[in-house]
Amino acid sequence: CTLYSQAEANHWFFGQNAGVNFNNGNIVSLFSSLNTIEGCSSYSDSSGNLLFYSDGIQVWNRNHILMPNGTDLKGNPSSTQSAIIVPNPSNSTKYFIFTVGNNINGIGGSGLNCYVIDMTLDGGLGDVSGGPINLSDGRDEQWTEKVTSVKTADCDSYWVISLVADTYYAYKVDANGLDTTNPVRSKVDYYSKDVRGYLKLSPDGKKLASATYNTSGTGLGEGKLHLYSFNASTGIVSNDAEVLISNTALNGEPYG
């Protein structure tokens, strides 16, 4: 029996022009055009061939050149997660980039937005062919810097999850594309006053971890690290938070 692992995550590009390649079983360092202090995302095909990468503001093709229309996306170099890439389940040549902007004390946030990348364009190097599609439900100014994704329970679609204040939004990407009109909204008891910090789902789609940084300005604030149950069939985040970090004076501010 011969097994082939999926290689869509075999190229990582991050930080100040840094990158690594995992294709050959050994970590190989790479140069990238990306220069960011925070959020970034990259994607390869199922064979591990680099397709493109982004900091949420710009999109570079596999030759490390900016894609046509691949500038001025609504992420931010100081947004915690800034961008995440999700494939279109029904079209292997199209991808979605979801961006979250920078938001400080409720000022200047661009919310959650989506763009379409078509890899058949620009001679097979790709082009940002659609967007932005605003998914912020009129709450751009409150939106956090968090965005994550996981496969649905039936493994043929994806959930894209983000947070605003005390409500998680889960958007579905399936064979029909992105459903922009019917997000699953899950309200929880904790209100994220600070928008910074990562949001991550377990690979099996059962647990959602949410880090809220939250400094007081002169010292440690009331940041929290929460662990919620997630239903990968319905997109619902349960209001059953287990608080993993609550004492910032002892454990520090949770971020990533």
Side-chain angles (χ1 to χ4, degrees):
C1 179
T2 302
L3 300 178
Y4 295 93
S5 61
Q6 294 168 317
E8 286 88 345
N10 277 14
H11 285 87
W12 294 4
F13 293 103
F14 55 91
Q16 295 177 311
N17 308 113
V20 291
N21 178 347
F22 296 93
N23 274 331
N24 298 318
N26 297 312
I27 298 174
V28 178
S29 62
L30 302 171
F31 167 84
S32 80
S33 296
L34 180 148
N35 189 336
T36 180
I37 58 173
E38 297 188 60
C40 48
S41 190
S42 48
Y43 212 87
S44 302
D45 65 20
S46 59
S47 299
N49 300 304
L50 175 65
L51 294 176
F52 58 92
Y53 55 99
S54 176
D55 60 358
I57 305 98
Q58 302 179 95
V59 186
W60 292 270
N61 64 28
R62 64 176 178 266
N63 294 330
H64 310 287
I65 304 299
L66 284 171
M67 280 188 179
N69 305 302
T71 59
D72 298 322
L73 277 65
K74 291 182 176 292
N76 189 281
S78 186
S79 171
T80 302
Q81 292 184 278
S82 193
I84 192 167
I85 299 163
V86 177
N88 186 326
S90 63
N91 189 328
S92 62
T93 65
K94 290 189 177 181
Y95 298 82
F96 298 99
I97 293 184
F98 294 86
T99 66
V100 281
N102 166 262
N103 186 330
I104 300 176
N105 298 322
I107 299 173
S110 57
L112 176 65
N113 288 272
C114 179
Y115 299 81
V116 177
I117 288 185
D118 188 337
M119 293 303 298
T120 67
L121 302 178
D122 195 28
L125 293 174
D127 186 344
V128 181
S129 61
I133 303 165
N134 189 291
L135 303 171
S136 306
D137 202 19
R139 306 177 72 180
D140 305 58
E141 293 293 325
Q142 295 177 286
W143 212 268
T144 67
E145 300 176 1
K146 309 174 191 291
V147 63
T148 191
S149 179
V150 72
K151 281 190 174 182
T152 57
D154 55 16
C155 288
D156 63 0
S157 308
Y158 296 88
W159 292 110
V160 176
I161 301 96
S162 192
L163 173 67
V164 56
D166 59 356
T167 303
Y168 288 90
Y169 279 66
Y171 283 92
K172 197 171 190 180
V173 179
D174 59 19
N176 297 314
L178 169 65
D179 183 350
T180 62
T181 59
N182 299 294
V184 178
R185 300 175 181 87
S186 303
K187 190 172 182 179
V188 297
D189 290 337
Y190 183 72
Y191 189 106
S192 294
K193 295 179 182 179
D194 194 304
V195 299
R196 296 169 292 179
Y198 272 72
L199 188 66
K200 296 293 286 186
L201 274 152
S202 60
D204 63 6
K206 293 182 178 180
K207 291 293 181 180
L208 178 74
S210 182
T212 304
Y213 188 65
N214 201 358
T215 56
S216 62
T218 56
L220 294 171
E222 297 179 356
K224 298 277 194 301
L225 176 61
H226 290 103
L227 188 66
Y228 297 94
S229 297
F230 181 75
N231 188 319
S233 295
T234 64
I236 293 173
V237 179
S238 296
N239 187 23
D240 62 351
E242 180 181 353
V243 184
L244 303 182
I245 290 180
S246 59
N247 186 337
T248 56
L250 179 64
N251 297 311
E253 293 282 356
Y255 179 79

